[in-house]
Amino acid sequence: GSELKLADISQLPAIAELPNPFLKVNGKVIRAKKDWACRRAEIGAQAQAYQLGNKPSAPEKVKAELQGENLLVTVVDKGKTLTFTAKITLPKTGKAPYPAIIGMGGSWINNEALAKQGIALIQFPNNEIAEQLNGGSRGKGKFYELYGSDHSAGALMAWAWGVSRLIDALEFAPNSPINASRLGITGCSRNGKGALVAGAFDERIKLTIPQESGSGGSASWRVSDDQKSAGQNVQTLSQIVTENVWFADKFKGFGQSVNRLPYDQHSLMGMVAPRGLLVIENTSMEWLGNRSAYTAALAAREIWRAQGIESNFGFSQLGGHNHCQLPETQAPEVASFIQKFLL
């Protein structure tokens, strides 16, 4: 479509409640399923412009080479070359080509259980692609060696770009043991934020499972601010932009004016629709914003519901366990989503 004209931060209206995900930038509300793809593209453009930075388009060339259990991915673009290695762990059951879960820096959804279901695990080295040590990590990592340390993408979007290149490689790796049309992605905590962004921005991913992803993941910026003002120790937008480089530099501009964001995380989650999304949260971690994540999930569900595919969306919230430790009671939910979308 035509180039979307997006307002500068100072020109954006304040919206106190969660923005309507079906309201287009031109002020019209979409009413038909077929219009979601267009609205989804708008949300993606807004998220790139205000929060995440731009995701570069497909590069000139992606090469794949299997070396034992390692997939060597080579990306050639703009006269430069980048390589990274993704470790593949094949399951003990089922037969090749296997469906697979990509672990953003790893997987914390019980890898033993995945292997028993016949799912391969692919380790994506996100910290190599874009560093996330602290606020001084901006522009560091292989992505920035390729596209420049001043590229607008924060770490989350740089990782999402890298995951897309991994999928490119899986699609044409010779004698690949992986079925590239049956891929899921997961990650926990900060890497859960990354899994959500990767799933939102690549439609080849069939199932996205962000685990305990909190702020910038499954929590709502607006509701987190509200929880904080009620005296709870919840991570807010104004805090997260000072902690690390997950977002575009200009996202700091929303620190004191969250209500000017024309969308919220429920819409970013909605970019995964109509594909599968299972959001796993932990009520024992106050920092992650239990009410914030719950509210965002209820709002996100409406996006799947409007398309008549509510069962493609799942939200599970449970406390009484450590961070990034999947409780046994949440395991069946994970297993059923894996069964539905990858098997």
Side-chain angles (χ1 to χ4, degrees), residues 150-342:
D150 58 351
H151 192 281
S152 68
L156 301 182
M157 189 54 98
W159 302 340
W161 172 89
V163 167
S164 290
R165 307 296 68 90
L166 170 63
I167 298 173
D168 292 342
L170 288 167
E171 284 182 329
F172 60 79
N175 311 320
S176 171
I178 302 301
N179 180 349
S181 67
R182 293 265 169 223
L183 296 172
I185 192 161
T186 189
C188 191
S189 203
R190 52 180 58 193
N191 297 332
K193 309 179 204 304
L196 175 61
V197 172
F201 283 89
D202 197 321
E203 293 182 87
R204 295 173 295 181
I205 295 170
K206 295 288 186 285
L207 172 62
T208 302
I209 309 181
Q211 182 180 9
E212 300 186 46
S213 57
S215 262
S218 59
S220 152
W221 299 115
R222 286 168 173 81
V223 184
S224 291
D225 266 12
D226 191 56
Q227 280 195 263
K228 176 86 172 174
S229 66
Q232 289 177 304
N233 184 30
V234 167
Q235 186 169 36
T236 60
L237 196 160
S238 63
Q239 190 281 332
I240 202 171
V241 292
T242 65
E243 183 195 329
N244 217 308
V245 296
W246 297 309
F247 307 99
D249 196 43
K250 73 186 291 186
F251 194 47
K252 292 184 174 128
F254 290 94
Q256 305 310 319
S257 53
V258 166
N259 287 357
R260 285 188 188 268
L261 255 190
Y263 59 89
D264 207 319
Q265 292 298 102
H266 63 297
S267 295
L268 193 72
M269 285 194 257
M271 283 181 67
V272 175
R275 295 166 292 131
L277 178 68
L278 173 62
V279 175
I280 300 167
E281 283 300 320
N282 181 352
T283 47
S284 293
M285 306 293 297
E286 190 177 25
W287 185 243
L288 300 176
N290 49 10
R291 180 163 61 85
S292 183
Y294 184 66
T295 309
L298 289 181
R301 184 173 64 176
E302 294 302 316
I303 297 167
W304 274 263
R305 187 177 270 171
Q307 297 176 62
I309 43 167
E310 193 183 333
S311 64
N312 286 8
F313 173 85
F315 178 76
S316 178
Q317 196 174 36
L318 194 76
H321 61 93
N322 290 339
H323 189 39
C324 295
Q325 211 169 48
L326 187 76
E328 273 175 39
T329 37
Q330 278 177 323
E333 298 160 19
V334 171
S336 69
F337 267 75
I338 296 234
Q339 180 70 39
K340 177 172 179 170
F341 289 97
L342 300 189

Side-chain angles (χ1 to χ4, degrees), residues 130-150:
E131 195 182 281
Q132 57 166 339
L133 287 176
N134 51 42
S137 293
R138 186 160 308 277
K140 294 182 181 171
K142 291 181 172 178
F143 173 90
Y144 301 100
E145 288 164 25
L146 194 60
Y147 291 113
S149 59
D150 58 351

Side-chain angles (χ1 to χ4, degrees), residues 38 40 83 88 101 112 115 126 156 158-159 170 177 212 229 274 298:
C38 176
R40 176 185 175 275
T83 62
I88 299 176
I101 281 271
E112 197 80 353
N126 58 326
L156 301 182
W159 302 340
L170 288 167
E212 300 186 46
S229 66
L298 289 181

Side-chain angles (χ1 to χ4, degrees), residues 12-23:
L12 291 165
I15 309 165
E17 63 282 356
L18 289 185
N20 179 355
F22 306 112
L23 179 66

